[in-house]
Amino acid sequence: MSGGQLPRWVDLGLIPFLNLSAAFLVSGLVVILIGENPLDAVKVLLWGSLGYAEGFGFTLFYATNFIFTGLAVAVAFHAGLFNIGGEGQAYVGGLGVAFACLALDQYVPWYVTLPFAILGSAAMGAAWAFIPAWLQAKRGSHVVITTIMFNYISFSFMVYLLGNVLKKPGSMQNETRTFEDGGRLPFLNDVFPSFGFGYAPVNLSLFVALAACVAVWFLIWRTKLGYEIRSFGANATAAVYAGISPVRIIVVTMLISGGLAGMMAINEIMGSQHRLLIDFVTGYGFVGIAVALMGRAHPVGIILAAVLFGMLYQGGAELSFEMPNITRDMIIVIQGLVILFAGALEHMFRPAIVRFFTPSQALAAKEA
Amino acid sequence: MFETIILMMDATIRVSTPLLLACLAGLYSERSGVVDIGLEGKMLGAAFGAGAVAYITANAWLGLLAGISVSVLLSLLHGFASISNRGNQIVSGVAINFLAAGLTALLGQTWFRQGGRTPSLPDGGRFTEIVWPFAEQVRNIPIIGPFYAEVLSGHKILVYVAFLAVPLTWWILFRTRFGLRLRAVGENPAAVDTAGISVVWMRYRAVIACGILCGVAGSYLSIAVGSGFGVNMTAGQGFMALAALIFAKWKPVSAMFTCLLFGFLDAAGTRLQGVEIWLIGEVPLQVFQALPYVLTVVLLAGFIGKAIPPKAAGIPYLKERS
């Protein structure tokens, strides 16, 4: 019973929809369990995330993070690799952004700093993914395990750097100095005042994220390298017979993946916080897994999934104001359920759906 | 100096215990071919279940039972997704970690209203130290006395459970029919299936064993060392146990020594904070925190032997297509 027997819209539309519905249904049950009305909660969530311009701005801000980390996981998926280290790669990517901003912010405007920040973050993120990639390619040690280890190594590494090396002299906080204007991306509210984004930190890195989506689409589906990546992911043995070097594909794919994860730091560090600080990633790297799964590793799907998770983050924050019983931990529960139903249990509904569609297709075949 | 060493050994055993329990838990699961990166979530869920029930009933044993139940339920969910539905085992583990992190904090806040923590345990809700016979009398005998009184005696019962689980696990895995089949199902499930043994049922039993041990590990944190559940109190120990499992090359006795090593690094890091070491100077705490993971990566790189996982680990078993 393979996927080929189902119409395309069922495979790409109906099944993900059913999986997502199951996740939200169970989330609703959790809300009932803690004694609140799930329909009221949905209303607050939708209003908080889409109902007014500032809320929508926050939704887009979170979505920007999720696009980067989602793309990172998706690119690795295409090569059959599971990069679970987006968290660490984004964290270390922050170093690249901070170096560019700290070096340039007093001398040049932001649009000169930005290319260096992009390069820096991508380079640092890629560097952090390199050793796991190399170990997978050369030594066969599983990339899932090594990237988990590298997440924890990055936590200690960054705490040490921020606490002992990069710290602003005389400060108690473990963070760098605040960047001047040359190290700050303009907020969308300043670029498009008429939209009324208010205090929402959504900034120009949203467009960097969208450009990255186009670039990933082009890379995966329109270049020779992308073809090799997909071939390797679909059948590594066949790809090797076709003359594709597994070492090269694994290392290059993981570098791209790590670079994309690292670029998430542009949005947080250069776009919003304007300084490098401890724990700015706070789970965005892990959520990238859910985003990539839901978005079926396609850039368009990832944008939609990223906006959905942005809505959950922003709406969830609003929810914890309006209904104090539903704390922000509810968002983590919903993420867990989405990963469970859209990822681990993705085949659960398939047999029933195949049964449902098979007779009608068989009839159609007879008539034709 | 000698006193310091004794105190360090004592601390090492206390810190190693949850690692060892979770590591053995992962060993059952992975030896059967089910990769489990949800150890962290299961420990966290168990810590919450144990903390909550031990507070309500003021009975540590009921707390332990609740902790084990929560962990086994999460294990069954992992089994349902990765054995019955042949889903991706990594994804399922990630989902369990998310679910446990979110649900424990959310339900903790709803039920106890202390920011997600469970209230401090009443008398009887915590496991107490077991003092071995004559521990006080022999304390003054040089070397052996303090070792007996501090290192061997005076731990919670779950510590002894953890270290007794090591030979027991070895015996089950390498000396029983169940153990042979468990290992076989992780190496070559098709062969086991041909022999007329259910792959699915074997793997379910392995993840249940994993759930029980993870449950003890989590309960140890909240009702033996701690006095109640705290938000995210496992703090990555499940992942460190996973690292230990790889470092130990999926062997029970090596697992014990690895967990003791990782526990020792933790204890040393805490003790050496701000201390100048001769010739080296002050070693930052973060070095000790990162060292277990660095060592595991070095091992994976093949510089200290080679870690070869069970052959069928991570691959869902599919009978011949109908």
Side-chain angles (χ1 to χ4, degrees), chain A residues 1-2 30 33-34 82 84 131 135 139 141-142 144-146 148-150 152-153 156-157 159-160 164 283 286-287 289 293 324-327 329-330 332-333 335-337 339-340 343-345 347-348, chain B residues 37 40 77 80-81 85-88 90-92 94-96 98-99 101-103 105-107 109-111 113 235-236 239 242-243 246 284 286 289-290 292-294 296-297 300-303 306 321:
Chain A
M1 291 287 171
S2 58
V30 173
L33 181 68
I34 58 176
F82 203 137
I84 205 167
I131 297 177
L135 288 178
R139 300 277 185 169
S141 52
H142 211 289
V144 170
I145 300 297
T146 38
I148 291 176
M149 302 297 124
F150 267 73
Y152 281 95
I153 297 172
S156 300
F157 177 64
V159 169
Y160 174 76
N164 301 49
F286 286 123
V287 180
I289 300 166
L293 285 171
N325 278 341
I326 307 179
T327 57
D329 303 301
M330 186 68 215
I332 303 177
V333 176
Q335 282 165 10
L337 290 168
I339 298 176
L340 186 70
L345 292 174
H347 303 310
M348 191 166 60
Chain B
I37 68 166
E40 173 86 3
L77 181 64
F80 177 70
N85 277 293
R86 297 189 292 274
N88 186 317
I90 307 290
V91 175
S92 167
V94 173
I96 283 168
F98 268 93
L99 278 180
L103 278 177
L106 187 68
L107 294 179
Q109 171 63 16
T110 309
W111 291 340
R113 313 233 160 251
F239 287 110
L242 195 66
I246 296 158
Q286 288 84 24
Q289 288 171 343
Y293 302 110
V294 175
T296 307
V297 171
L300 283 170
F303 295 123
K306 195 158 169 54
R321 276 160 201 265

Side-chain angles (χ1 to χ4, degrees), chain A residues 125-207:
Chain A
W128 205 249
F130 175 72
I131 297 177
W134 187 82
L135 288 178
Q136 162 97 48
K138 283 283 189 186
R139 300 277 185 169
S141 52
H142 211 289
V143 78
V144 170
I145 300 297
T146 38
T147 47
I148 291 176
M149 302 297 124
F150 267 73
N151 280 342
Y152 281 95
I153 297 172
S154 80
F155 300 157
S156 300
F157 177 64
M158 292 295 284
V159 169
Y160 174 76
L161 277 187
L162 280 164
N164 301 49
V165 184
L166 296 170
K167 189 155 103 169
K168 183 169 65 175
S171 164
M172 293 301 288
Q173 303 288 330
N174 287 347
E175 58 190 34
T176 63
R177 71 170 169 82
T178 305
F179 307 149
E180 305 292 327
D181 282 347
R184 299 179 179 199
L185 282 179
F187 292 117
L188 284 196
N189 189 45
D190 300 330
V191 185
F192 309 109
S194 53
F195 286 1
F197 282 130
Y199 290 105
V202 59
N203 55 72
L204 284 182
S205 49
L206 175 62
F207 298 107

Side-chain angles (χ1 to χ4, degrees), chain B residues 34-308:
Chain B
V34 181
V35 169
D36 193 349
I37 68 166
L39 295 173
E40 173 86 3
K42 274 181 269 190
M43 273 171 86
L44 195 62
F48 177 73
V53 170
Y55 166 72
I56 294 165
T57 62
N59 185 329
W61 290 100
L62 287 179
L64 177 66
L65 192 68
I68 292 176
S69 312
V70 172
S71 173
V72 168
L73 277 179
L74 288 171
S75 277
L76 289 176
L77 181 64
H78 186 52
F80 177 70
S82 57
I83 305 170
S84 300
N85 277 293
R86 297 189 292 274
N88 186 317
Q89 299 170 4
I90 307 290
V91 175
S92 167
V94 173
I96 283 168
N97 288 338
F98 268 93
L99 278 180
L103 278 177
T104 51
L106 187 68
L107 294 179
Q109 171 63 16
T110 309
W111 291 340
F112 303 107
R113 313 233 160 251
Q114 295 192 4
R117 292 184 304 118
T118 62
S120 236
L121 294 176
D123 288 342
R126 264 186 94 185
F127 284 105
T128 46
E129 282 87 5
I130 296 176
V131 180
W132 286 20
F134 310 114
E136 285 312 307
Q137 287 86 330
V138 299
R139 189 179 282 275
N140 292 327
I141 302 170
I143 300 184
I144 306 170
F147 184 78
Y148 182 80
E150 286 287 338
V151 180
L152 294 181
S153 162
H155 291 289
K156 322 277 162 135
I157 188 164
L158 299 184
V159 175
Y160 303 113
V161 168
F163 283 88
L164 286 176
V166 177
L168 183 68
T169 300
W170 177 84
W171 185 76
I172 289 176
L173 272 183
F174 298 103
R175 287 292 179 275
T176 67
R177 188 198 303 225
F178 171 76
L180 177 68
R181 290 175 176 176
L182 183 92
R183 284 180 292 133
V185 96
E187 297 288 340
N188 192 341
V192 177
D193 205 2
T194 315
I197 299 156
S198 164
V199 173
V200 169
W201 175 225
M202 272 314 297
R203 287 191 170 171
Y204 263 109
R205 280 190 280 177
V207 294
I208 290 169
C210 167
I212 294 171
L213 283 166
C214 255
V216 182
S219 306
Y220 174 80
L221 292 176
S222 65
I223 62 172
V225 193
S227 179
F229 170 83
V231 171
N232 197 21
M233 78 183 307
T234 45
Q237 292 186 58
F239 287 110
M240 189 170 283
L242 195 66
L245 179 61
I246 296 158
F247 199 89
K249 300 171 189 169
W250 295 268
K251 292 187 185 110
V253 179
S254 314
M256 180 181 76
F257 286 114
T258 309
C259 289
L260 283 171
L261 171 70
F262 287 4
F264 172 77
L265 288 173
D266 187 296
T270 317
R271 182 152 272 275
L272 290 177
Q273 217 175 348
V275 178
E276 292 276 336
I277 300 174
W278 187 61
L279 282 182
I280 306 172
E282 193 181 321
V283 182
L285 177 64
Q286 288 84 24
V287 171
F288 289 100
Q289 288 171 343
L291 210 48
Y293 302 110
V294 175
L295 285 175
T296 307
V297 171
V298 171
L299 175 84
L300 283 170
F303 295 123
I304 348 173
K306 195 158 169 54
I308 302 164

